[in-house]
Amino acid sequence: MAKAMKIRALMSPPTPLTKFDPGAYWSGLEFEETDAANTEAERDGLAQFVHFLAFLALQAGSTRWASVVPARSSAMRALESHFGHLAGWPRVTRSGLSYP
């Protein structure tokens, strides 16, 4: 199993939110590897946070809603460290994780 990836520092999203790109924001965060295993609470929290980013973009009517978390990014490794054990993960993320 891959080492757990945690968000090092969480920053507020750039304004105006009408141009908010959730994939670019997520990909721009800093992550660090840890030896600690991810808990179910952490998986749940991360899933809710990633969905919240989508909500922000949709609620603001963002013109950059259609975004992608690149496949070879530390942001994608963080998602994989939390959800890579799920059936179908490799098929869904082959070319990056698409928000729309």
Side-chain angles (χ1 to χ4, degrees):
M1 175 180 263
K3 289 187 175 184
M5 299 283 292
K6 311 282 184 180
I7 298 171
R8 179 175 289 160
L10 186 60
M11 306 300 184
S12 61
T15 55
L17 289 178
T18 55
K19 296 183 181 195
F20 179 59
D21 181 330
Y25 172 80
W26 176 251
S27 298
L29 294 176
E30 288 185 48
F31 299 90
E32 61 187 0
E33 279 188 345
T34 70
D35 290 326
N38 291 313
T39 66
E40 286 304 313
E42 289 171 325
R43 284 186 183 92
D44 181 59
L46 185 63
Q48 289 187 41
F49 180 66
V50 171
H51 282 97
F52 178 69
L53 296 178
F55 171 79
L56 286 178
L58 286 172
Q59 186 70 21
S62 175
T63 58
R64 297 185 178 150
W65 158 243
S67 65
V68 174
V69 177
R72 297 182 199 259
S73 65
S74 60
M76 184 59 87
R77 284 196 336 263
L79 291 170
E80 184 173 18
S81 80
H82 284 73
F83 308 113
H85 67 286
L86 298 174
W89 176 261
R91 184 179 68 250
V92 171
T93 60
R94 211 169 299 165
S95 59
L97 186 65
S98 179
Y99 258 93

